[in-house]
Amino acid sequence: MTDTWKRYRELLCSVPSLGLTLDPSRMRFGAGFFDETARDMDRAYTAMEDLEKGAIANPDEKRMVGHYWLRDPARAPSPEIRSQIERALEQIRSFSMGVHEGRIRPPNAPRFTQVLVIGIGGSALGPLFVADALGDRARDRMRIHFIDNTDPDGIDRVLSGLSGKLPETLAIVTSKSGGTPETRNGMIHAAAAYRAAGLQFPAHAVAITMEGSRMDELARSEGWLERFPMFDWVGGRTSELSGVGLLPAALQGIDIEGLLAGAKACDEATRSRDTRSNPAAVLALVWLHATGGKGEKDMVVLPYKDRLVLFSKYLQQLVMESLGKRLDLQGRRVDQGIAVYGNKGSTDQHAYVQQLRDGVNNFFVTFIRVLESGGAAIEIDPGITAGDYLHGFLLGTREALYGNDRESVTITVPRVDARVVGALIALFERAVGFYATLVGINAYHQPGVEAGKKAAAEVLDLELRVLKALGASPRTAEDLASAAGAADSMELVYLLLEHLAANGRAKMALKKDPAETTFTRP
Amino acid sequence: MTDTWKRYRELLCSVPSLGLTLDPSRMRFGAGFFDETARDMDRAYTAMEDLEKGAIANPDEKRMVGHYWLRDPARAPSPEIRSQIERALEQIRSFSMGVHEGRIRPPNAPRFTQVLVIGIGGSALGPLFVADALGDRARDRMRIHFIDNTDPDGIDRVLSGLSGKLPETLAIVTSKSGGTPETRNGMIHAAAAYRAAGLQFPAHAVAITMEGSRMDELARSEGWLERFPMFDWVGGRTSELSGVGLLPAALQGIDIEGLLAGAKACDEATRSRDTRSNPAAVLALVWLHATGGKGEKDMVVLPYKDRLVLFSKYLQQLVMESLGKRLDLQGRRVDQGIAVYGNKGSTDQHAYVQQLRDGVNNFFVTFIRVLESGGAAIEIDPGITAGDYLHGFLLGTREALYGNDRESVTITVPRVDARVVGALIALFERAVGFYATLVGINAYHQPGVEAGKKAAAEVLDLELRVLKALGASPRTAEDLASAAGAADSMELVYLLLEHLAANGRAKMALKKDPAETTFTRP
């Protein structure tokens, strides 16, 4: 055990300006690890410096990657970009102040009290995480709600939770491209609900989107309350510290200056080329060590703090969408990535930590340790609080995993406040960037997501053709597939018909063999 | 594509009584797979039959495993057990009816309107899943809240959400053993909040626990409103259809008869020894195929329906705690398990499906397809609804994954109602049981969880000794470790001191080298 103390002291990586430490001592890399990886890390530092200076860091999409400028506009590569960022921030501050003071208000109520965020992926995961991590019902200026899918039942549930409150609900529609179908569908359902309540949607809506996008044009032509810019050089999964995250947070009453300051401080600490003192670099190297640079192990994220329960969902996107790539920068097939999952400790100790301790060794844990317990300081046992238990469970589990040859890295923060949340986001953003260079991939595009949208559009097109082919006389899926010009897609046609039948748009006479099941127009 | 249709029809596994199908056609097992595994499946059926008849199916703990009897008490191995189950169900029905009718009421309010569930692991994940899947604010009889951790800040957030409503809040404290520390801590905090509001906790509390447990004794001696039994032969992770899940659900107004009937119908369908028509058997074999019987791939659970978003969290426990085992039944080291993660589609398509499509091929997907769209039937495009998009995204993603050699299994259900939720729970319970036999492990114990509790207790004991050793003159962690009789645990002592300092119970003079940092009594 004396060895663990020595190794802890040698490897501990501190950011005094944030009170944040990263402890990689329970990863079993060898003494020469930092030396062996020094040249690769040098490349990663250089790539990151180029990126921060405005290089085309996303070559496939020929885009700059500028999320680091958002919290330090003076670093923007041109005065125009700097002033874009500063104007956008000012717009957010003044709009949210106007809403809080009741100067910006809905037509039929004295003020906005509810915020409805409509967005998906990068337009929802960050806002959801921050709203939960930093919100407090008693203190929040406004209540926040989310529509983050195209499930009509799920949308109804959110809207019915706003029942009676729509007159005082501000809707934020967020889509960088302005063409995300889920977001558009959510918006259409929300607008219908406003109309059904006798309200004008445009008087309750703001858009966050790129200038000139379809969403932007819609908002302009309908006269929405306000339009906030998204920038070409900010990707969805790194947009939490752009308007995407800052506008809902500011409206909720969250300290957005703290978020930005924390991220900026973390960026400063993680620009250092002194790897051992750079927590983002150490984190990227920890991933390299744990996964063999090939995603061989899953990243289990275990914050011991309820407020951080959504951090792993947020990191799922940041890490997996950035690193999960088929091709490397040279166009070679690599099938890269690291799977991420987790919820919170000690809750998860009563769920899957059994497997982590005893079962298949296909993961490493990222513990997030929050020093201040918070809450009521009640003695549970003499001298012991519920917070001591929480902390004790973390240390006990870390120890037990290590004893059974399971690796972990521990990030310690003083508390969960805006500065710390900003810093955690920035820490993982930069670690992802470093790691992408280490394994030679583009972290900033998402070709599979685009392909997914296309695949779904084809399915919907086929659905329309199948609907058209339905008639009064019973036909099998095979018949209908032929009629719809999709004789090679019988299974797909059958599945579409099953869905249509369940929703009253086809009648189905079910047989044991799906090939004999017939369908008619209802 | 004609091949996929043929394979779909050949392999589709239907449960007509439930309208449920399981489609394994996008798993690439060969034509002889069912024959090759027939003998192993025979053993699995026999083991399951023995279990259902009351064999000691959990040999380490020398326990019967009886969750299947809960929904079909006539199958209980003795009249005593049958009547225990029936009495417990009757108690739940009559208690919740009494609460709804206001006959069972709090001292200082006309009726209970809020339910606060205090529990963790198996005592929270099922109730959370079912409350979210089947609850509806507009229809629910009572509003439900959860304390599922020992985070004092998290507990405070839940209790402050109940601010002003404690007089009409019924607290359910659930702990099988009656000694789960997190649950006890949550209860102590909740009781303090009731006291601070001038209320008597016992007049607002019920316990769900084994007869004679510490919790049972406490509830009896303090005169709580009611005590509900847990049975020795029901494990936490399979307790959703015992009082643990049924009591909160019944209070919320969820159709518990439907839950039980759905589970019973699924049990009946999955008792068949005709493997190809038994969805639990096919599911277990799919896992065997995908993971090589060694956890080589992760199980990604992707329900395309907001109401099922917590199902993957529920399955994380059911699958990972059951299968994540170090030793097989012969005592050989096997390090078994299957990692489970997922949230919901199409939301996750904008998070990590990029990696699933393009990245590291270390998973298989379990799609859950819900036929009825629900919600408002608004046309988004001519002839197309938001629900068509949702369904289209599922089919598109399933197709794209298959095209890139990623496997998936699809479970289709007509809708998300109590019967279907009961059936889904039963389906996975039995698949886990079958799979455990296939790989030769005990699915019904959790030695690692017990070890975790012990490790934490040792940490807390050390914390008390360190607190005692703190004095007026500054001492290093090494000094204090020696004084606390833990010279071999310097790192642990340092981490404890850091935590104590952050919470005002030690004063810390931070140095660059943790070994030089000193601590005093505050």
Side-chain angles (χ1 to χ4, degrees):
Chain A
M1 290 308 254
T2 315
D3 288 350
T4 61
W5 174 229
K6 187 159 165 274
R7 190 169 163 85
Y8 172 82
R9 287 162 52 205
E10 276 172 12
L11 294 175
L12 190 71
C13 182
S14 301
V15 184
S17 65
L18 288 161
L20 178 152
T21 64
L22 184 138
D23 159 31
S25 63
R26 298 306 177 98
M27 305 296 298
R28 297 172 180 269
F29 50 77
F33 181 59
F34 288 115
D35 289 340
E36 291 152 20
T37 53
R39 283 184 64 176
D40 286 336
M41 269 315 300
D42 263 344
R43 283 192 304 112
Y45 291 126
T46 302
M48 188 60 80
E49 283 162 12
D50 292 347
L51 178 152
E52 290 207 82
K53 280 184 203 137
I56 299 297
N58 177 354
D60 300 37
E61 300 177 354
K62 300 198 177 25
R63 278 172 165 155
M64 299 189 291
V65 174
H67 48 273
Y68 301 109
W69 311 328
L70 296 168
R71 44 258 196 171
D72 193 356
R75 289 187 166 266
S78 75
E80 291 71 32
I81 290 182
R82 175 177 182 162
S83 106
Q84 275 184 328
I85 299 170
E86 288 170 343
R87 278 202 314 272
L89 254 176
E90 209 31 58
Q91 189 191 7
I92 289 162
R93 288 190 191 108
S94 90
F95 182 84
S96 44
M97 195 181 289
V99 168
H100 292 160
E101 290 174 353
R103 282 183 287 108
I104 300 171
R105 46 161 286 194
N108 305 353
R111 59 178 69 223
F112 286 116
T113 63
Q114 315 289 314
V115 184
L116 171 62
V117 176
I118 304 170
I120 194 167
S123 301
L125 289 163
L128 270 163
F129 163 49
V130 168
D132 186 53
L134 299 174
D136 253 308
R137 284 200 171 207
R139 275 203 321 265
D140 288 352
R141 305 291 300 252
M142 301 176 75
R143 284 286 294 281
I144 194 158
H145 313 260
F146 292 88
I147 290 177
D148 68 348
N149 199 4
T150 180
D151 173 10
D153 174 57
I155 294 172
D156 253 24
R157 293 226 283 181
V158 177
L159 292 173
S160 77
L162 283 165
S163 157
K165 294 206 176 111
L166 277 183
E168 47 198 79
T169 300
L170 176 71
I172 302 178
V173 186
T174 309
S175 168
K176 182 178 175 185
S177 69
T180 312
E182 291 92 334
T183 304
R184 188 182 60 124
N185 298 356
M187 177 193 71
I188 290 171
H189 275 248
Y194 278 95
R195 269 197 307 279
L199 303 165
Q200 298 295 321
F201 182 64
H204 297 77
V206 304
I208 309 181
T209 185
M210 286 209 294
E211 263 188 78
S213 78
R214 261 161 57 185
M215 183 75 69
D216 194 46
E217 290 308 322
L218 181 76
R220 184 201 307 270
S221 68
E222 293 189 350
W224 293 17
L225 264 181
E226 187 88 310
R227 293 174 294 123
F228 296 86
M230 278 187 83
F231 308 120
D232 176 64
W233 39 266
V234 174
R237 57 188 171 276
T238 53
S239 66
E240 176 51 28
L241 297 175
S242 76
V244 173
L246 295 180
L247 178 63
L251 288 165
Q252 195 183 345
I254 286 168
D255 170 20
I256 64 168
E257 315 302 335
L259 281 171
L260 290 165
K264 182 178 173 180
C266 187
D267 287 344
E268 277 159 10
T270 53
R271 279 192 191 101
S272 162
R273 277 180 178 258
D274 177 19
T275 295
R276 286 158 167 274
S277 73
N278 179 335
V282 174
L283 201 51
L285 288 172
V286 156
W287 299 350
L288 187 74
H289 159 74
T291 73
K294 291 178 188 151
E296 281 160 7
K297 299 231 169 159
D298 296 347
M299 184 190 306
V300 178
V301 179
L302 263 185
Y304 276 64
K305 185 56 58 181
D306 288 357
R307 286 183 183 272
L308 296 178
V309 67
L310 296 182
F311 193 41
S312 64
K313 260 198 198 190
Y314 176 80
L315 291 180
Q316 268 184 339
Q317 187 198 32
L318 178 62
V319 174
M320 295 176 76
E321 194 164 282
S322 299
L323 303 181
K325 299 293 157 68
R326 178 177 305 167
L327 305 176
D328 70 7
L329 287 164
Q330 273 70 50
R332 291 172 299 212
R333 176 102 187 231
V334 288
D335 291 14
Q336 269 290 356
I338 303 177
V340 177
Y341 65 91
N343 303 296
K344 66 179 182 182
S346 68
T347 308
D348 286 358
Q349 292 188 208
H350 296 261
Y352 60 80
V353 172
Q354 162 67 35
Q355 178 168 314
L356 302 193
R357 289 178 62 111
D358 284 1
V360 53
N361 188 355
N362 65 349
F363 68 92
F364 66 103
V365 173
T366 304
F367 287 110
I368 301 182
R369 175 171 168 253
V370 179
L371 288 173
E372 295 177 12
S373 296
I378 295 172
E379 273 203 353
I380 297 288
D381 304 315
I384 295 291
T385 67
D388 293 336
Y389 270 92
L390 187 66
H391 183 250
F393 283 127
L394 186 158
L395 295 184
T397 299
R398 172 173 173 275
E399 210 58 43
L401 291 177
Y402 185 73
N404 198 22
D405 213 10
R406 271 71 178 153
E407 294 179 304
S408 69
V409 57
T410 301
I411 297 168
T412 298
V413 294
R415 68 196 69 82
V416 180
D417 63 9
R419 265 178 74 83
V420 164
V421 168
L424 285 173
I425 289 171
L427 175 65
F428 280 85
E429 281 177 350
R430 199 168 294 250
V432 164
F434 286 148
Y435 184 84
T437 305
L438 293 176
V439 301
I441 57 165
N442 179 353
Y444 306 107
H445 65 165
Q446 51 283 330
V449 177
E450 305 308 321
K453 284 184 197 171
K454 241 176 100 178
E458 287 165 17
V459 170
L460 291 183
D461 183 60
L462 180 56
E463 178 174 314
L464 286 175
R465 276 148 46 213
V466 170
L467 266 172
K468 231 176 180 166
L470 278 174
S473 56
R475 300 175 79 176
T476 65
E478 297 186 11
D479 284 352
L480 287 162
S482 298
D488 57 346
S489 300
M490 258 110 68
E491 187 206 14
L492 203 52
V493 168
Y494 180 79
L495 297 173
L496 285 168
L497 283 161
E498 216 182 8
H499 165 75
L500 289 168
N503 290 286
R505 286 143 73 200
K507 259 176 77 177
M508 167 160 151
L510 188 66
K511 298 282 155 53
K512 202 168 181 318
D513 181 352
E516 290 169 18
T517 297
T518 56
F519 301 87
T520 48
R521 200 184 297 139
Chain B
M1 290 307 253
T2 315
D3 288 351
T4 60
W5 175 228
K6 186 160 165 276
R7 190 169 163 85
Y8 171 81
R9 287 161 52 205
E10 277 173 12
L11 294 175
L12 189 70
C13 182
S14 300
V15 184
S17 65
L18 289 162
L20 178 151
T21 64
L22 184 137
D23 159 29
S25 63
R26 299 305 177 102
M27 306 293 302
R28 298 172 180 269
F29 50 78
F33 182 58
F34 288 115
D35 290 339
E36 289 153 22
T37 53
R39 283 183 64 175
D40 286 337
M41 269 315 300
D42 263 344
R43 283 193 303 114
Y45 292 126
T46 302
M48 188 61 80
E49 283 162 11
D50 292 347
L51 177 152
E52 291 207 82
K53 281 185 206 140
I56 300 299
N58 177 354
D60 300 37
E61 299 178 354
K62 300 196 178 26
R63 280 173 165 157
M64 298 189 291
V65 173
H67 48 276
Y68 302 109
W69 311 328
L70 296 169
R71 44 258 197 171
D72 193 355
R75 288 187 167 269
S78 74
E80 292 71 34
I81 291 182
R82 176 179 181 159
S83 108
Q84 275 185 328
I85 299 170
E86 290 170 342
R87 277 202 315 270
L89 255 175
E90 210 29 62
Q91 189 191 7
I92 289 163
R93 290 188 190 109
S94 89
F95 182 84
S96 44
M97 192 181 292
V99 168
H100 292 159
E101 291 173 355
R103 282 183 286 109
I104 298 171
R105 45 161 288 193
N108 305 356
R111 59 180 69 223
F112 286 116
T113 63
Q114 314 289 314
V115 184
L116 171 62
V117 176
I118 304 170
I120 193 166
S123 301
L125 289 162
L128 271 162
F129 162 50
V130 168
D132 187 52
L134 299 175
D136 254 308
R137 282 199 173 210
R139 277 203 321 263
D140 288 351
R141 306 289 302 253
M142 302 177 74
R143 286 285 296 283
I144 194 158
H145 313 259
F146 291 89
I147 291 176
D148 68 347
N149 198 3
T150 178
D151 173 9
D153 174 56
I155 294 172
D156 252 24
R157 292 226 281 180
V158 177
L159 292 173
S160 78
L162 283 165
S163 158
K165 294 207 176 109
L166 278 184
E168 47 198 78
T169 300
L170 176 71
I172 302 178
V173 186
T174 308
S175 168
K176 182 177 174 184
S177 69
T180 313
E182 289 93 335
T183 304
R184 187 181 60 126
N185 298 355
M187 176 192 72
I188 290 171
H189 275 248
Y194 277 95
R195 269 197 306 279
L199 303 166
Q200 297 296 320
F201 182 65
H204 296 76
V206 304
I208 308 181
T209 186
M210 287 209 293
E211 262 191 78
S213 78
R214 259 161 58 185
M215 183 75 68
D216 194 47
E217 290 307 322
L218 182 75
R220 183 201 306 270
S221 68
E222 292 189 350
W224 293 17
L225 264 181
E226 187 88 312
R227 293 174 294 124
F228 296 87
M230 279 186 84
F231 307 120
D232 176 64
W233 39 266
V234 174
R237 59 188 169 276
T238 52
S239 66
E240 176 50 26
L241 297 176
S242 76
V244 172
L246 296 179
L247 179 63
L251 288 165
Q252 196 183 344
I254 287 168
D255 169 20
I256 64 169
E257 314 303 334
L259 281 170
L260 290 166
K264 183 178 173 183
C266 188
D267 287 343
E268 276 158 12
T270 53
R271 279 191 192 103
S272 162
R273 277 181 177 255
D274 176 19
T275 296
R276 284 156 169 275
S277 73
N278 179 333
V282 174
L283 201 51
L285 288 173
V286 156
W287 299 349
L288 188 74
H289 160 73
T291 72
K294 291 178 187 152
E296 280 160 7
K297 298 231 168 158
D298 296 348
M299 183 190 307
V300 177
V301 179
L302 263 184
Y304 276 63
K305 186 53 61 181
D306 289 357
R307 286 182 184 272
L308 295 179
V309 67
L310 296 183
F311 193 40
S312 65
K313 259 198 199 190
Y314 175 79
L315 290 181
Q316 268 184 338
Q317 187 198 33
L318 178 62
V319 174
M320 295 175 76
E321 195 164 282
S322 298
L323 303 180
K325 300 292 157 70
R326 178 176 305 166
L327 305 177
D328 69 8
L329 287 164
Q330 274 70 50
R332 291 172 301 213
R333 178 103 188 227
V334 287
D335 290 16
Q336 269 291 356
I338 302 177
V340 177
Y341 66 91
N343 303 295
K344 66 177 180 183
S346 69
T347 307
D348 286 358
Q349 292 189 208
H350 296 260
Y352 59 81
V353 172
Q354 162 66 35
Q355 177 167 315
L356 302 194
R357 288 178 63 109
D358 285 0
V360 55
N361 189 355
N362 65 349
F363 68 92
F364 65 103
V365 173
T366 305
F367 286 110
I368 301 181
R369 177 171 167 251
V370 180
L371 288 172
E372 295 175 13
S373 296
I378 295 172
E379 272 203 355
I380 297 289
D381 305 316
I384 295 291
T385 67
D388 293 336
Y389 271 92
L390 187 66
H391 184 248
F393 284 126
L394 186 159
L395 295 183
T397 299
R398 171 173 174 274
E399 211 55 45
L401 291 177
Y402 185 72
N404 198 22
D405 213 10
R406 272 67 178 154
E407 295 179 303
S408 69
V409 57
T410 301
I411 297 168
T412 298
V413 294
R415 67 196 69 84
V416 180
D417 64 8
R419 265 178 74 82
V420 164
V421 168
L424 285 172
I425 289 170
L427 175 65
F428 279 85
E429 281 177 350
R430 197 168 297 246
V432 163
F434 286 149
Y435 184 83
T437 305
L438 293 176
V439 301
I441 57 166
N442 178 354
Y444 306 106
H445 66 165
Q446 51 284 327
V449 177
E450 305 308 320
K453 285 183 196 170
K454 239 177 104 176
E458 286 166 18
V459 170
L460 291 183
D461 182 62
L462 179 57
E463 179 174 314
L464 286 174
R465 275 149 44 211
V466 169
L467 267 171
K468 226 174 181 172
L470 279 173
S473 55
R475 300 176 79 175
T476 64
E478 298 187 12
D479 283 353
L480 287 161
S482 298
D488 57 346
S489 301
M490 257 109 69
E491 187 206 16
L492 202 53
V493 168
Y494 179 79
L495 296 173
L496 285 168
L497 284 161
E498 218 182 6
H499 165 76
L500 289 168
N503 290 288
R505 285 142 74 200
K507 260 176 78 177
M508 168 161 152
L510 188 65
K511 297 284 154 52
K512 201 166 181 327
D513 180 351
E516 288 167 19
T517 297
T518 55
F519 299 87
T520 48
R521 200 184 298 139

